[in-house]
Amino acid sequence: LSSFVQGLSVMGNWKSLIVIFFWSLILWGTSGLTIASALKAFHVEAPFYSAYLVLSLLSIGMMIPSAPSSVGPFQFFTMLALDIFHVPNSQSLGFSIGLNVLLFLVFIVVGLICLGWQGVSVGKILKEKT
């Protein structure tokens, strides 16, 4: 609760709010472009802005506790968003699985890069675990 209250302290600082707004636009914009690119790669016939609806519903859906890598809710909310644009369920399911795997792999690769940057190897982690 104290961390939340401390985070609200930015509300009185216009410079910080502008910076936060700018980076939020960059983050949401690139995330939407990633999904739009994936829709194109999977030959899903939906308007460009459908990527942002997918992103919005996924963001809400990921708040639900689920299996590792959000298997289940990820597919449900992706399919729900694409159903609005009359994308067939078989195609939206395939897309949601492909997108989920793609994003999961990106997180793993970025995580491994960050570990290497910090001088930590996977072998060292596994050795310490046993």
Side-chain angles (χ1 to χ4, degrees):
L1 183 60
S2 64
S3 295
F4 177 74
V5 172
Q6 185 181 6
L8 290 177
S9 67
V10 74
M11 299 304 269
N13 184 339
W14 284 100
K15 183 179 178 186
S16 293
L17 283 175
I18 290 170
V19 169
I20 291 168
F21 181 74
F22 170 77
W23 284 111
S24 293
L25 282 178
I26 297 295
L27 177 67
W28 282 87
T30 55
S31 296
L33 289 174
T34 300
I35 294 173
S37 298
L39 285 167
K40 193 85 161 156
F42 277 82
H43 305 288
V44 175
E45 295 295 326
F48 175 77
Y49 60 87
S50 66
Y52 290 95
L53 180 61
V54 170
L55 177 61
S56 299
L57 288 181
L58 277 176
S59 297
I60 293 167
M62 294 304 94
M63 290 186 248
I64 298 171
S66 63
S69 78
S70 301
V71 172
F74 191 99
Q75 283 66 41
F76 175 78
F77 286 98
T78 301
M79 292 176 69
L80 181 66
L82 293 176
D83 189 52
I84 293 169
F85 301 100
H86 308 292
V87 175
N89 284 342
S90 58
Q91 189 178 21
S92 63
L93 177 60
F95 169 76
S96 69
I97 292 169
L99 181 63
N100 198 345
V101 169
L102 173 70
L103 295 175
F104 190 71
L105 289 175
V106 168
F107 289 139
I108 289 172
V109 169
V110 170
L112 291 172
I113 290 169
C114 290
L115 282 175
W117 184 52
Q118 293 293 316
V120 178
S121 71
V122 175
K124 184 178 179 180
I125 294 171
L126 293 174
K127 184 185 262 186
E128 289 180 9
K129 185 178 178 184
T130 57

